[in-house]
Amino acid sequence: MNEMRPGNLSELSIGRWAETIGFLAEHAFPKAHGPVDWASVYALIWWNLILESPLAAELREQEMTRLAAEARQEMNGSYRKDRLVLAQLLHLVKSGDDQDAMKLVDAQLHDVKLDDFYPYLGYFVENEAWDRLLTWLEWLAPEAAHSPPKQMLEYFAYWEQLKEHLEVEPQWKRMVFGMMPNSYAYYSSYLLEREEFQAWVDLNLLLRTNPLATPSVAIKAVEAKRRELLLPWYHHAAEQFIAEKNREAYKRAVRVLRKLKATYKRLKQQQRWEAYMQYLMKRYSRLRAFQEELSKLRKGEDSA
């Protein structure tokens, strides 16, 4: 290749760009997965090279026309059509046409995956385009709500970066609670890291979570700082199990009560524990199986 001279960049580039664009058009949109990640190759060359050239506007318009025409010829839901739609998305995001990009995805993209959008979210962060990041995070919320835990954590990591630059606490909380219970793991960790223990217990009460299925590291974190906050959660969980009225549930109730007993002891409130035991014996006196399991706790036995 001849060396390009700065003064004739457009003239010297057009042939080279045409060759590159033609090669990508031929190879970057296979009908099925293959050994080469052509979508990434296409994005890398267009985003970082072609769309940064002096010919960007002209070449982009031609490419968008070609992509749209080819997409119309593909069957809805096909792998190749989705790749063509994602290529159009790239051009629209690069040019700042976010609303058109979202409309395109809503209308034509069959298999929506959060992973396809994270490079753009990262681009907004890198360029401090916080309003655009907010727009896309809100738009992606329905997809994030049903995504695997790892992808959801990455989604909310972008929210946390956004919160450092914009006042978006209400929007963030709306997203978190709108995705419950799927967002529980994220929000639980978030609260524990910030030692917002009352909010953590309130969350578990709201969702009626099971202390027996909660990671012990989470419970120990609360015990170390605000042990007394666990009392209402344990009370509530024990009576939830009792209400199921079967032997296995009674055993689980007693396992929770064992935690409750230990907590009262650590707090030096054994009288409250004894009073609660008297209450349970009286209120559920007719539940013979429960009383049998409860007697094991009173005797210091395990309820296996």
Side-chain angles (χ1 to χ4, degrees):
M1 286 188 177
N2 295 327
E3 182 180 353
M4 291 191 296
R5 295 184 177 87
N8 297 314
L9 182 60
S10 295
E11 293 180 15
L12 292 174
S13 296
I14 190 151
R16 297 175 181 179
W17 289 138
E19 291 177 6
T20 303
I21 291 169
F23 179 84
L24 290 173
E26 181 179 354
H27 296 282
F29 303 99
K31 292 186 177 296
H33 288 284
V36 178
D37 183 7
W38 281 108
S40 294
V41 174
Y42 180 93
L44 177 68
I45 294 175
W46 268 99
W47 187 277
N48 294 296
L49 296 176
I50 303 176
L51 293 178
E52 293 295 330
S53 76
L55 301 169
E58 178 183 351
L59 296 174
R60 171 184 173 275
E61 183 177 352
Q62 294 173 1
E63 179 69 358
M64 284 290 286
T65 299
R66 184 190 70 79
L67 291 169
E70 290 201 26
R72 285 194 294 270
Q73 297 174 11
E74 292 292 330
M75 182 183 300
N76 285 334
S78 72
Y79 174 83
R80 187 168 189 271
K81 178 166 186 175
D82 275 0
R83 305 280 74 74
L84 290 163
V85 171
L86 287 170
Q88 294 175 72
L89 171 69
L90 177 148
H91 292 282
L92 291 169
V93 172
K94 182 71 170 181
S95 61
D97 298 326
D98 293 337
Q99 294 303 318
D100 287 341
M102 293 172 186
K103 290 177 184 177
L104 173 72
V105 171
D106 286 337
Q108 297 192 42
L109 188 62
H110 176 260
D111 187 15
V112 180
K113 298 178 180 177
L114 280 180
D115 284 351
D116 291 327
F117 299 89
Y118 285 154
Y120 303 122
L121 302 186
Y123 169 74
F124 299 145
V125 171
E126 183 179 352
N127 290 274
E128 300 184 355
W130 306 117
D131 289 332
R132 293 185 72 186
L133 179 60
L134 173 60
T135 298
W136 278 94
L137 286 173
E138 291 186 320
W139 182 78
L140 286 168
E143 184 63 29
H146 305 290
S147 62
K150 183 178 179 180
Q151 290 191 23
M152 180 176 285
L153 289 174
E154 190 169 354
Y155 169 82
F156 279 113
Y158 284 111
W159 270 104
E160 291 180 33
Q161 292 182 75
L162 183 62
K163 286 167 63 182
E164 295 177 5
H165 300 277
L166 295 182
E167 293 293 334
V168 292
E169 189 80 8
Q171 296 97 314
W172 170 74
K173 283 192 174 180
R174 185 171 68 248
M175 294 299 133
V176 172
F177 285 100
M179 296 181 192
M180 288 292 174
N182 293 345
S183 60
Y184 170 82
Y186 159 73
Y187 193 47
S188 173
S189 297
Y190 177 91
L191 293 173
L192 290 173
E193 287 172 6
R194 288 155 182 79
E195 298 190 352
E196 297 183 24
F197 299 126
Q198 182 65 69
W200 185 82
V201 171
D202 290 344
L203 175 67
N204 285 282
L205 284 167
L206 176 67
L207 296 179
R208 300 165 67 90
T209 59
N210 175 6
L212 303 178
T214 303
S216 60
V217 65
I219 294 177
K220 287 179 180 177
V222 182
E223 287 177 337
K225 298 289 183 71
R226 297 290 305 279
R227 186 185 303 274
E228 71 280 1
L229 297 178
L230 296 169
L231 293 173
W233 183 34
Y234 289 161
H235 276 281
H236 191 264
E239 301 217 23
Q240 271 185 264
F241 284 130
I242 296 170
E244 294 181 26
K245 294 185 178 180
N246 64 75
R247 175 75 71 167
E248 289 305 313
Y250 294 152
K251 290 181 178 181
R252 288 192 287 271
V254 170
R255 287 175 61 194
V256 175
L257 290 171
R258 198 175 303 280
K259 290 178 176 289
L260 185 61
K261 179 182 180 181
T263 303
Y264 273 123
K265 184 177 181 180
R266 283 294 191 90
L267 294 171
K268 299 181 179 180
Q269 296 181 14
Q270 288 92 332
Q271 288 185 341
R272 289 185 61 187
W273 163 250
E274 292 298 335
Y276 184 59
M277 282 291 288
Q278 293 299 319
Y279 160 80
L280 291 176
M281 293 170 60
K282 182 177 181 180
R283 179 174 180 181
Y284 300 111
S285 59
R286 296 186 179 183
L287 301 180
R288 179 180 298 177
F290 172 66
Q291 293 296 330
E292 290 175 358
E293 296 300 325
L294 189 62
S295 68
K296 296 177 183 179
L297 174 62
R298 297 172 63 200
K299 296 174 183 177
E301 301 174 9
D302 289 333
S303 183

